[in-house]
Amino acid sequence: MSQQERAIRTRELILEAAGEVFAERGYDGATISDVYSRAGLTKGAFYFHFASKEELAEAILEVQVGSGAYPVVRRTLKLQELVDAGFVFGHRLMYDRMLQGSVGLSLERGAHQLDRRRPFLAWVDHNLAALTEASEQGELYGYADLRATAELLVGAFSGIQMLSHVLADRRDLTERLSVLLAQVLPSVAVPGVLAQLDLSADRGERVLAEAEALAAAQAGGTA
Amino acid sequence: MSQQERAIRTRELILEAAGEVFAERGYDGATISDVYSRAGLTKGAFYFHFASKEELAEAILEVQVGSGAYPVVRRTLKLQELVDAGFVFGHRLMYDRMLQGSVGLSLERGAHQLDRRRPFLAWVDHNLAALTEASEQGELYGYADLRATAELLVGAFSGIQMLSHVLADRRDLTERLSVLLAQVLPSVAVPGVLAQLDLSADRGERVLAEAEALAAAQAGGTA
């Protein structure tokens, strides 16, 4: 393992441990020594990567954003891609402690000065881009308000995952997402598109497996 | 003012101050002395009413529940009553610091052992009862899943109020609620009912004024 690879791996170890600690204790309750102890690292190794708890929390918030959070498998229907991103995120949130910690931080009030808006805004942008493409392909009604829908989906998703967390330790998260999409999308998608959408609760698990198989095949092809 | 009236007024002062303190500092950050100082009360007066911070927080959580949180004005359409309760709650949440503190506590993780489920479950019960009545009156499609819809509305509302809080200090909360209802209700309500519903963002303000006028008239009538 090269020095660079080792640094990347150490950073990942810290982030995984930090996600768990934030998920369990919240931002205010978590300490830096909780994090490096759990990761099995020294204080020095920690501070090589992060200068403060705040910087660490910002990196954790970032794991909700970008292609790592919602790997995309291209579909003919852009609305299915939007749905897939939501289900993959929801599925991962059911077991990925780092993602749970990240979502917890973005929901948490408290003494910290973190910019909690970024994950929400990134998801709004992502949804808006997907809805715009879907609209250009004729998948949506012409009168659909794309921005309002993009923001509604982000807000409503945040709430149903929280309700699922409080009531069922997130076990029914993707079932609740299925209900949300089935009730919201008919207001924007034309019937012929709706009929083709897969909104089943296990969609995320299947798409994630597909994305991983594709990534493995690509890695094999370029090796 | 009788001794009993004074006790009721003191309790209200404590709850109002506690809502503000919890809203600002969260459960872990709030102290009992913050609360009684802000209320202008002595420590002794506080402990006459509440034995602990936990007991105080439970009382604050309770303000989201029951007829105080969503005064009902009877309507021909039961679905409009459901909508009205949501808009009144949303409207009050925009400025009522006690309610903001209460909602904050139910969203907050942290070291406390509060039962955060109760406000959510109370709203689910409320919605389910209203949807059941609406369904019995023929306002909804026969295939509508009433429990799933009741829970979706609670989860989605929690999320949009949180997004509104993070992005706009709750100023656009009732506009977001209007979008939510306009996109979700067509999946359950028959068109003739939908066409009659008032889902405008200022609905809560108007219903609250109406409820207060009715309450004042009743109080006048029984005086």
Side-chain angles (χ1 to χ4, degrees):
Chain A
M1 201 186 272
S2 73
Q3 200 171 345
Q4 198 191 354
E5 283 169 336
R6 194 157 56 236
I8 290 171
R9 186 66 201 129
T10 305
R11 193 183 146 89
E12 285 173 355
L13 276 175
I14 294 170
L15 287 175
E16 278 167 30
E20 291 179 15
V21 171
F22 285 133
E24 288 164 20
R25 301 180 203 172
Y27 183 81
D28 293 339
T31 68
I32 285 177
S33 72
D34 289 336
V35 173
Y36 63 73
S37 306
R38 179 163 317 196
L41 294 167
T42 63
K43 187 173 173 177
F46 176 89
Y47 279 105
F48 180 77
H49 290 274
F50 297 99
S52 64
K53 185 164 83 167
E54 192 173 344
E55 196 180 304
L56 178 63
E58 276 163 6
I60 288 288
L61 278 174
E62 206 66 13
V63 305
Q64 287 177 65
V65 173
S67 59
Y70 32 82
V72 170
V73 181
R74 293 285 161 208
R75 311 286 176 196
T76 313
L77 291 178
K78 290 296 156 187
L79 202 54
Q80 185 70 58
E81 279 185 24
L82 173 84
V83 164
D84 287 357
F87 273 115
V88 166
F89 191 78
H91 173 67
R92 287 188 53 216
L93 196 49
M94 289 166 82
Y95 63 84
D96 184 327
R97 300 284 286 156
M98 185 161 63
L99 200 55
Q100 289 169 3
S102 180
V103 167
L105 283 181
S106 52
L107 300 189
E108 191 178 345
R109 302 168 308 158
H112 62 71
Q113 295 298 315
L114 300 172
D115 183 5
R116 301 192 295 152
R117 302 186 314 156
R118 182 160 154 69
F120 295 110
L121 294 174
W123 268 100
V124 169
D125 286 348
H126 171 269
N127 288 350
L128 185 55
L131 288 168
T132 302
E133 281 193 84
S135 180
E136 284 164 3
Q137 290 197 170
E139 298 173 27
L140 309 183
Y141 292 119
Y143 59 75
D145 184 334
L146 305 188
R147 172 161 288 279
T149 304
E151 295 191 359
L152 171 62
L153 289 172
V154 172
F157 179 90
S158 305
I160 60 167
Q161 76 80 25
M162 197 194 50
L163 190 65
S164 172
H165 187 193
V166 171
L167 297 184
D169 203 20
R170 291 204 180 92
R171 284 185 305 276
D172 59 8
L173 200 169
T174 55
E175 281 160 48
R176 288 180 188 275
L177 179 56
S178 188
V179 169
L180 169 68
L181 294 170
Q183 296 218 17
V184 165
L185 294 183
S187 295
V188 294
V190 300
V193 167
L194 272 182
Q196 291 179 63
L197 290 179
D198 180 355
L199 304 179
S200 38
D202 67 344
R203 176 80 190 170
E205 192 171 358
R206 285 184 280 121
V207 171
L208 197 60
E210 201 181 342
E212 282 165 0
L214 279 170
Q218 283 180 342
T222 57
Chain B
M1 200 185 273
S2 73
Q3 199 171 345
Q4 197 190 355
E5 283 168 337
R6 193 156 56 235
I8 291 171
R9 186 66 200 130
T10 305
R11 193 184 147 89
E12 283 173 358
L13 277 175
I14 295 170
L15 288 175
E16 278 166 28
E20 291 180 16
V21 171
F22 285 134
E24 287 163 21
R25 301 181 203 173
Y27 183 81
D28 292 340
T31 68
I32 284 176
S33 71
D34 289 337
V35 173
Y36 64 71
S37 307
R38 180 165 315 199
L41 293 167
T42 63
K43 187 172 172 177
F46 176 90
Y47 279 105
F48 180 77
H49 289 274
F50 296 99
S52 64
K53 185 164 81 167
E54 192 173 343
E55 196 179 304
L56 179 63
E58 275 163 7
I60 289 287
L61 279 173
E62 205 66 14
V63 305
Q64 287 177 67
V65 173
S67 58
Y70 31 81
V72 171
V73 181
R74 294 284 162 210
R75 310 288 176 195
T76 313
L77 291 178
K78 290 297 157 188
L79 203 54
Q80 186 70 58
E81 279 185 25
L82 173 85
V83 163
D84 287 357
F87 273 114
V88 166
F89 191 78
H91 173 68
R92 287 188 52 214
L93 196 49
M94 290 166 82
Y95 64 84
D96 183 327
R97 299 285 286 155
M98 185 160 65
L99 199 55
Q100 289 169 3
S102 180
V103 167
L105 284 181
S106 52
L107 301 187
E108 191 178 346
R109 302 169 307 158
H112 62 70
Q113 295 298 313
L114 300 172
D115 184 5
R116 300 192 295 151
R117 302 187 313 157
R118 181 160 155 68
F120 295 110
L121 293 175
W123 268 101
V124 169
D125 287 347
H126 171 268
N127 288 350
L128 185 54
L131 288 169
T132 302
E133 281 193 83
S135 180
E136 286 164 1
Q137 292 197 169
E139 298 173 28
L140 310 183
Y141 293 119
Y143 59 75
D145 183 335
L146 305 188
R147 173 161 287 279
T149 304
E151 296 192 359
L152 171 62
L153 289 173
V154 172
F157 179 89
S158 304
I160 60 166
Q161 77 79 24
M162 198 195 49
L163 190 65
S164 172
H165 188 193
V166 171
L167 297 185
D169 203 20
R170 292 205 179 92
R171 282 184 306 276
D172 60 9
L173 201 170
T174 56
E175 282 160 47
R176 289 181 187 274
L177 178 56
S178 188
V179 170
L180 169 68
L181 294 170
Q183 296 218 17
V184 165
L185 294 183
S187 295
V188 293
V190 300
V193 168
L194 271 182
Q196 290 179 62
L197 291 179
D198 180 356
L199 304 179
S200 38
D202 67 344
R203 176 80 190 170
E205 192 172 357
R206 285 184 282 121
V207 171
L208 196 59
E210 200 181 342
E212 283 165 0
L214 279 171
Q218 283 181 342
T222 57

mmCIF file of all heavy atoms in Angstrom, chain A residues 64-99:
data_model
loop_
_atom_site.group_PDB
_atom_site.id
_atom_site.type_symbol
_atom_site.label_atom_id
_atom_site.label_comp_id
_atom_site.label_asym_id
_atom_site.label_seq_id
_atom_site.Cartn_x
_atom_site.Cartn_y
_atom_site.Cartn_z
ATOM 1 N N GLN A 64 -23.567 12.966 1.908
ATOM 2 C CA GLN A 64 -24.921 12.902 1.338
ATOM 3 C C GLN A 64 -24.978 13.473 -0.068
ATOM 4 O O GLN A 64 -26.023 13.438 -0.707
ATOM 5 C CB GLN A 64 -25.895 13.743 2.176
ATOM 6 C CG GLN A 64 -26.258 13.165 3.497
ATOM 7 C CD GLN A 64 -27.160 14.137 4.241
ATOM 8 O OE1 GLN A 64 -28.263 14.402 3.825
ATOM 9 N NE2 GLN A 64 -26.656 14.672 5.338
ATOM 10 N N VAL A 65 -23.879 14.035 -0.509
ATOM 11 C CA VAL A 65 -23.882 14.848 -1.722
ATOM 12 C C VAL A 65 -23.080 14.142 -2.805
ATOM 13 O O VAL A 65 -22.043 13.552 -2.523
ATOM 14 C CB VAL A 65 -23.244 16.225 -1.406
ATOM 15 C CG1 VAL A 65 -23.062 17.043 -2.670
ATOM 16 C CG2 VAL A 65 -24.080 16.964 -0.371
ATOM 17 N N GLY A 66 -23.555 14.206 -4.027
ATOM 18 C CA GLY A 66 -22.756 13.756 -5.151
ATOM 19 C C GLY A 66 -22.961 12.294 -5.492
ATOM 20 O O GLY A 66 -23.785 11.597 -4.898
ATOM 21 N N SER A 67 -22.177 11.827 -6.452
ATOM 22 C CA SER A 67 -22.439 10.538 -7.074
ATOM 23 C C SER A 67 -22.231 9.374 -6.107
ATOM 24 O O SER A 67 -22.795 8.302 -6.297
ATOM 25 C CB SER A 67 -21.553 10.366 -8.306
ATOM 26 O OG SER A 67 -20.199 10.466 -7.909
ATOM 27 N N GLY A 68 -21.445 9.570 -5.051
ATOM 28 C CA GLY A 68 -21.281 8.502 -4.070
ATOM 29 C C GLY A 68 -22.584 8.202 -3.355
ATOM 30 O O GLY A 68 -22.896 7.059 -3.024
ATOM 31 N N ALA A 69 -23.388 9.248 -3.141
ATOM 32 C CA ALA A 69 -24.634 9.078 -2.387
ATOM 33 C C ALA A 69 -25.718 8.430 -3.236
ATOM 34 O O ALA A 69 -26.563 7.720 -2.722
ATOM 35 C CB ALA A 69 -25.116 10.433 -1.864
ATOM 36 N N TYR A 70 -25.704 8.712 -4.529
ATOM 37 C CA TYR A 70 -26.757 8.146 -5.387
ATOM 38 C C TYR A 70 -26.181 7.774 -6.745
ATOM 39 O O TYR A 70 -26.334 8.486 -7.729
ATOM 40 C CB TYR A 70 -27.946 9.109 -5.545
ATOM 41 C CG TYR A 70 -27.603 10.596 -5.504
ATOM 42 C CD1 TYR A 70 -27.124 11.251 -6.625
ATOM 43 C CD2 TYR A 70 -27.758 11.325 -4.329
ATOM 44 C CE1 TYR A 70 -26.823 12.595 -6.596
ATOM 45 C CE2 TYR A 70 -27.457 12.678 -4.289
ATOM 46 C CZ TYR A 70 -26.993 13.311 -5.426
ATOM 47 O OH TYR A 70 -26.690 14.642 -5.375
ATOM 48 N N PRO A 71 -25.474 6.618 -6.780
ATOM 49 C CA PRO A 71 -24.905 6.155 -8.052
ATOM 50 C C PRO A 71 -26.027 5.994 -9.073
ATOM 51 O O PRO A 71 -27.101 5.512 -8.746
ATOM 52 C CB PRO A 71 -24.303 4.793 -7.703
ATOM 53 C CG PRO A 71 -24.977 4.368 -6.444
ATOM 54 C CD PRO A 71 -25.329 5.620 -5.716
ATOM 55 N N VAL A 72 -25.777 6.441 -10.277
ATOM 56 C CA VAL A 72 -26.829 6.458 -11.289
ATOM 57 C C VAL A 72 -26.575 5.355 -12.313
ATOM 58 O O VAL A 72 -25.474 5.194 -12.813
ATOM 59 C CB VAL A 72 -26.866 7.833 -11.996
ATOM 60 C CG1 VAL A 72 -27.783 7.780 -13.215
ATOM 61 C CG2 VAL A 72 -27.314 8.905 -11.023
ATOM 62 N N VAL A 73 -27.629 4.576 -12.583
ATOM 63 C CA VAL A 73 -27.624 3.688 -13.734
ATOM 64 C C VAL A 73 -28.568 4.336 -14.739
ATOM 65 O O VAL A 73 -29.691 4.686 -14.395
ATOM 66 C CB VAL A 73 -28.133 2.279 -13.348
ATOM 67 C CG1 VAL A 73 -28.085 1.360 -14.558
ATOM 68 C CG2 VAL A 73 -27.315 1.707 -12.195
ATOM 69 N N ARG A 74 -28.091 4.567 -15.944
ATOM 70 C CA ARG A 74 -28.901 5.296 -16.931
ATOM 71 C C ARG A 74 -30.162 4.520 -17.296
ATOM 72 O O ARG A 74 -30.120 3.303 -17.433
ATOM 73 C CB ARG A 74 -28.085 5.559 -18.207
ATOM 74 C CG ARG A 74 -26.932 6.525 -18.004
ATOM 75 C CD ARG A 74 -27.408 7.974 -17.894
ATOM 76 N NE ARG A 74 -26.365 8.807 -17.265
ATOM 77 C CZ ARG A 74 -26.611 9.898 -16.557
ATOM 78 N NH1 ARG A 74 -27.856 10.302 -16.345
ATOM 79 N NH2 ARG A 74 -25.633 10.596 -16.022
ATOM 80 N N ARG A 75 -31.276 5.246 -17.413
ATOM 81 C CA ARG A 75 -32.566 4.655 -17.805
ATOM 82 C C ARG A 75 -33.159 5.461 -18.945
ATOM 83 O O ARG A 75 -32.873 6.665 -19.059
ATOM 84 C CB ARG A 75 -33.566 4.698 -16.643
ATOM 85 C CG ARG A 75 -33.062 4.199 -15.333
ATOM 86 C CD ARG A 75 -32.934 2.705 -15.307
ATOM 87 N NE ARG A 75 -32.348 2.283 -14.034
ATOM 88 C CZ ARG A 75 -31.836 1.072 -13.826
ATOM 89 N NH1 ARG A 75 -31.810 0.179 -14.800
ATOM 90 N NH2 ARG A 75 -31.329 0.760 -12.660
ATOM 91 N N THR A 76 -34.011 4.833 -19.711
ATOM 92 C CA THR A 76 -34.725 5.565 -20.768
ATOM 93 C C THR A 76 -35.570 6.674 -20.154
ATOM 94 O O THR A 76 -35.559 7.807 -20.620
ATOM 95 C CB THR A 76 -35.636 4.600 -21.557
ATOM 96 O OG1 THR A 76 -34.876 3.443 -21.879
ATOM 97 C CG2 THR A 76 -36.142 5.254 -22.824
ATOM 98 N N LEU A 77 -36.317 6.328 -19.089
ATOM 99 C CA LEU A 77 -37.125 7.335 -18.405
ATOM 100 C C LEU A 77 -36.283 8.051 -17.363
ATOM 101 O O LEU A 77 -35.766 7.430 -16.426
ATOM 102 C CB LEU A 77 -38.324 6.670 -17.712
ATOM 103 C CG LEU A 77 -39.414 6.093 -18.600
ATOM 104 C CD1 LEU A 77 -40.498 5.433 -17.746
ATOM 105 C CD2 LEU A 77 -40.025 7.187 -19.487
ATOM 106 N N LYS A 78 -36.156 9.368 -17.525
ATOM 107 C CA LYS A 78 -35.377 10.152 -16.550
ATOM 108 C C LYS A 78 -36.069 10.151 -15.181
ATOM 109 O O LYS A 78 -35.399 10.255 -14.149
ATOM 110 C CB LYS A 78 -35.214 11.588 -17.046
ATOM 111 C CG LYS A 78 -34.279 11.690 -18.246
ATOM 112 C CD LYS A 78 -32.866 11.264 -17.875
ATOM 113 C CE LYS A 78 -32.088 10.807 -19.105
ATOM 114 N NZ LYS A 78 -30.782 10.232 -18.756
ATOM 115 N N LEU A 79 -37.378 10.032 -15.176
ATOM 116 C CA LEU A 79 -38.088 9.990 -13.901
ATOM 117 C C LEU A 79 -37.716 8.727 -13.115
ATOM 118 O O LEU A 79 -37.641 8.753 -11.885
ATOM 119 C CB LEU A 79 -39.603 10.048 -14.145
ATOM 120 C CG LEU A 79 -40.448 10.537 -12.982
ATOM 121 C CD1 LEU A 79 -39.983 11.885 -12.468
ATOM 122 C CD2 LEU A 79 -41.922 10.609 -13.384
ATOM 123 N N GLN A 80 -37.453 7.640 -13.834
ATOM 124 C CA GLN A 80 -37.011 6.429 -13.131
ATOM 125 C C GLN A 80 -35.621 6.644 -12.515
ATOM 126 O O GLN A 80 -35.338 6.154 -11.418
ATOM 127 C CB GLN A 80 -36.991 5.232 -14.090
ATOM 128 C CG GLN A 80 -36.667 3.904 -13.397
ATOM 129 C CD GLN A 80 -37.791 3.413 -12.489
ATOM 130 O OE1 GLN A 80 -38.910 3.210 -12.926
ATOM 131 N NE2 GLN A 80 -37.502 3.239 -11.193
ATOM 132 N N GLU A 81 -34.770 7.392 -13.195
ATOM 133 C CA GLU A 81 -33.448 7.699 -12.619
ATOM 134 C C GLU A 81 -33.584 8.489 -11.313
ATOM 135 O O GLU A 81 -32.883 8.234 -10.335
ATOM 136 C CB GLU A 81 -32.582 8.504 -13.603
ATOM 137 C CG GLU A 81 -31.916 7.644 -14.653
ATOM 138 C CD GLU A 81 -30.971 8.446 -15.549
ATOM 139 O OE1 GLU A 81 -30.463 9.513 -15.133
ATOM 140 O OE2 GLU A 81 -30.739 8.006 -16.685
ATOM 141 N N LEU A 82 -34.509 9.458 -11.331
ATOM 142 C CA LEU A 82 -34.767 10.245 -10.118
ATOM 143 C C LEU A 82 -35.256 9.329 -8.994
ATOM 144 O O LEU A 82 -34.773 9.396 -7.857
ATOM 145 C CB LEU A 82 -35.832 11.300 -10.423
ATOM 146 C CG LEU A 82 -36.361 12.104 -9.240
ATOM 147 C CD1 LEU A 82 -35.439 13.277 -8.947
ATOM 148 C CD2 LEU A 82 -37.770 12.623 -9.503
ATOM 149 N N VAL A 83 -36.210 8.479 -9.325
ATOM 150 C CA VAL A 83 -36.766 7.521 -8.358
ATOM 151 C C VAL A 83 -35.653 6.603 -7.830
ATOM 152 O O VAL A 83 -35.554 6.357 -6.622
ATOM 153 C CB VAL A 83 -37.886 6.695 -9.049
ATOM 154 C CG1 VAL A 83 -38.220 5.448 -8.261
ATOM 155 C CG2 VAL A 83 -39.122 7.572 -9.270
ATOM 156 N N ASP A 84 -34.812 6.130 -8.744
ATOM 157 C CA ASP A 84 -33.743 5.205 -8.357
ATOM 158 C C ASP A 84 -32.775 5.861 -7.375
ATOM 159 O O ASP A 84 -32.341 5.234 -6.405
ATOM 160 C CB ASP A 84 -32.961 4.742 -9.595
ATOM 161 C CG ASP A 84 -33.773 3.759 -10.446
ATOM 162 O OD1 ASP A 84 -34.902 3.414 -10.039
ATOM 163 O OD2 ASP A 84 -33.264 3.345 -11.504
ATOM 164 N N ALA A 85 -32.425 7.125 -7.642
ATOM 165 C CA ALA A 85 -31.499 7.821 -6.744
ATOM 166 C C ALA A 85 -32.095 7.884 -5.341
ATOM 167 O O ALA A 85 -31.405 7.630 -4.341
ATOM 168 C CB ALA A 85 -31.203 9.227 -7.268
ATOM 169 N N GLY A 86 -33.372 8.182 -5.253
ATOM 170 C CA GLY A 86 -34.045 8.241 -3.947
ATOM 171 C C GLY A 86 -34.053 6.898 -3.254
ATOM 172 O O GLY A 86 -33.765 6.795 -2.051
ATOM 173 N N PHE A 87 -34.360 5.847 -4.003
ATOM 174 C CA PHE A 87 -34.422 4.514 -3.388
ATOM 175 C C PHE A 87 -33.039 4.003 -2.976
ATOM 176 O O PHE A 87 -32.904 3.336 -1.954
ATOM 177 C CB PHE A 87 -35.095 3.503 -4.327
ATOM 178 C CG PHE A 87 -36.591 3.476 -4.180
ATOM 179 C CD1 PHE A 87 -37.413 3.872 -5.224
ATOM 180 C CD2 PHE A 87 -37.187 3.048 -3.002
ATOM 181 C CE1 PHE A 87 -38.797 3.852 -5.092
ATOM 182 C CE2 PHE A 87 -38.569 3.020 -2.865
ATOM 183 C CZ PHE A 87 -39.379 3.423 -3.911
ATOM 184 N N VAL A 88 -32.019 4.308 -3.780
ATOM 185 C CA VAL A 88 -30.661 3.891 -3.398
ATOM 186 C C VAL A 88 -30.250 4.612 -2.112
ATOM 187 O O VAL A 88 -29.741 3.992 -1.165
ATOM 188 C CB VAL A 88 -29.649 4.186 -4.531
ATOM 189 C CG1 VAL A 88 -28.215 4.083 -4.013
ATOM 190 C CG2 VAL A 88 -29.868 3.218 -5.688
ATOM 191 N N PHE A 89 -30.515 5.892 -2.060
ATOM 192 C CA PHE A 89 -30.178 6.675 -0.859
ATOM 193 C C PHE A 89 -30.958 6.130 0.351
ATOM 194 O O PHE A 89 -30.386 5.910 1.419
ATOM 195 C CB PHE A 89 -30.524 8.147 -1.109
ATOM 196 C CG PHE A 89 -29.997 9.092 -0.069
ATOM 197 C CD1 PHE A 89 -28.667 9.470 -0.074
ATOM 198 C CD2 PHE A 89 -30.826 9.614 0.905
ATOM 199 C CE1 PHE A 89 -28.175 10.363 0.881
ATOM 200 C CE2 PHE A 89 -30.350 10.503 1.870
ATOM 201 C CZ PHE A 89 -29.013 10.872 1.851
ATOM 202 N N GLY A 90 -32.247 5.882 0.153
ATOM 203 C CA GLY A 90 -33.075 5.355 1.240
ATOM 204 C C GLY A 90 -32.600 3.986 1.697
ATOM 205 O O GLY A 90 -32.525 3.700 2.899
ATOM 206 N N HIS A 91 -32.280 3.140 0.736
ATOM 207 C CA HIS A 91 -31.796 1.795 1.077
ATOM 208 C C HIS A 91 -30.492 1.872 1.873
ATOM 209 O O HIS A 91 -30.346 1.223 2.919
ATOM 210 C CB HIS A 91 -31.595 1.000 -0.215
ATOM 211 C CG HIS A 91 -30.951 -0.332 -0.004
ATOM 212 N ND1 HIS A 91 -31.575 -1.365 0.674
ATOM 213 C CD2 HIS A 91 -29.723 -0.800 -0.339
ATOM 214 C CE1 HIS A 91 -30.757 -2.404 0.732
ATOM 215 N NE2 HIS A 91 -29.629 -2.087 0.128
ATOM 216 N N ARG A 92 -29.554 2.700 1.403
ATOM 217 C CA ARG A 92 -28.270 2.824 2.108
ATOM 218 C C ARG A 92 -28.472 3.393 3.504
ATOM 219 O O ARG A 92 -27.783 2.997 4.460
ATOM 220 C CB ARG A 92 -27.314 3.729 1.316
ATOM 221 C CG ARG A 92 -26.759 3.057 0.068
ATOM 222 C CD ARG A 92 -25.662 3.924 -0.566
ATOM 223 N NE ARG A 92 -24.646 4.277 0.402
ATOM 224 C CZ ARG A 92 -24.002 5.449 0.445
ATOM 225 N NH1 ARG A 92 -24.278 6.374 -0.450
ATOM 226 N NH2 ARG A 92 -23.106 5.686 1.359
ATOM 227 N N LEU A 93 -29.409 4.306 3.624
ATOM 228 C CA LEU A 93 -29.653 4.944 4.915
ATOM 229 C C LEU A 93 -30.146 3.944 5.960
ATOM 230 O O LEU A 93 -30.015 4.161 7.170
ATOM 231 C CB LEU A 93 -30.676 6.069 4.711
ATOM 232 C CG LEU A 93 -30.857 7.123 5.785
ATOM 233 C CD1 LEU A 93 -29.534 7.700 6.242
ATOM 234 C CD2 LEU A 93 -31.771 8.227 5.260
ATOM 235 N N MET A 94 -30.704 2.831 5.508
ATOM 236 C CA MET A 94 -31.193 1.823 6.452
ATOM 237 C C MET A 94 -30.064 1.100 7.183
ATOM 238 O O MET A 94 -30.286 0.537 8.255
ATOM 239 C CB MET A 94 -32.094 0.818 5.731
ATOM 240 C CG MET A 94 -33.431 1.438 5.318
ATOM 241 S SD MET A 94 -34.381 0.445 4.118
ATOM 242 C CE MET A 94 -35.167 -0.755 5.183
ATOM 243 N N TYR A 95 -28.872 1.077 6.600
ATOM 244 C CA TYR A 95 -27.801 0.321 7.270
ATOM 245 C C TYR A 95 -26.456 1.044 7.319
ATOM 246 O O TYR A 95 -25.567 0.647 8.064
ATOM 247 C CB TYR A 95 -27.615 -1.061 6.604
ATOM 248 C CG TYR A 95 -27.161 -0.956 5.159
ATOM 249 C CD1 TYR A 95 -25.815 -0.799 4.844
ATOM 250 C CD2 TYR A 95 -28.075 -0.989 4.114
ATOM 251 C CE1 TYR A 95 -25.400 -0.677 3.535
ATOM 252 C CE2 TYR A 95 -27.675 -0.861 2.799
ATOM 253 C CZ TYR A 95 -26.335 -0.705 2.522
ATOM 254 O OH TYR A 95 -25.926 -0.562 1.220
ATOM 255 N N ASP A 96 -26.255 2.101 6.533
ATOM 256 C CA ASP A 96 -24.948 2.752 6.446
ATOM 257 C C ASP A 96 -24.808 3.771 7.579
ATOM 258 O O ASP A 96 -25.413 4.840 7.550
ATOM 259 C CB ASP A 96 -24.835 3.437 5.073
ATOM 260 C CG ASP A 96 -23.463 4.072 4.848
ATOM 261 O OD1 ASP A 96 -22.855 4.547 5.833
ATOM 262 O OD2 ASP A 96 -23.014 4.097 3.699
ATOM 263 N N ARG A 97 -23.988 3.431 8.576
ATOM 264 C CA ARG A 97 -23.884 4.266 9.773
ATOM 265 C C ARG A 97 -23.294 5.639 9.458
ATOM 266 O O ARG A 97 -23.611 6.623 10.116
ATOM 267 C CB ARG A 97 -23.019 3.564 10.836
ATOM 268 C CG ARG A 97 -23.575 2.230 11.284
ATOM 269 C CD ARG A 97 -24.753 2.407 12.219
ATOM 270 N NE ARG A 97 -24.308 2.850 13.537
ATOM 271 C CZ ARG A 97 -25.087 3.505 14.393
ATOM 272 N NH1 ARG A 97 -26.326 3.814 14.069
ATOM 273 N NH2 ARG A 97 -24.633 3.849 15.572
ATOM 274 N N MET A 98 -22.410 5.708 8.465
ATOM 275 C CA MET A 98 -21.814 6.997 8.111
ATOM 276 C C MET A 98 -22.892 7.914 7.525
ATOM 277 O O MET A 98 -22.993 9.089 7.887
ATOM 278 C CB MET A 98 -20.672 6.813 7.114
ATOM 279 C CG MET A 98 -19.932 8.108 6.805
ATOM 280 S SD MET A 98 -18.298 7.830 6.106
ATOM 281 C CE MET A 98 -18.688 6.992 4.585
ATOM 282 N N LEU A 99 -23.731 7.356 6.666
ATOM 283 C CA LEU A 99 -24.817 8.137 6.075
ATOM 284 C C LEU A 99 -25.840 8.525 7.147
ATOM 285 O O LEU A 99 -26.360 9.648 7.154
ATOM 286 C CB LEU A 99 -25.482 7.316 4.964
ATOM 287 C CG LEU A 99 -26.295 8.069 3.922
ATOM 288 C CD1 LEU A 99 -25.469 9.157 3.251
ATOM 289 C CD2 LEU A 99 -26.824 7.092 2.871
#
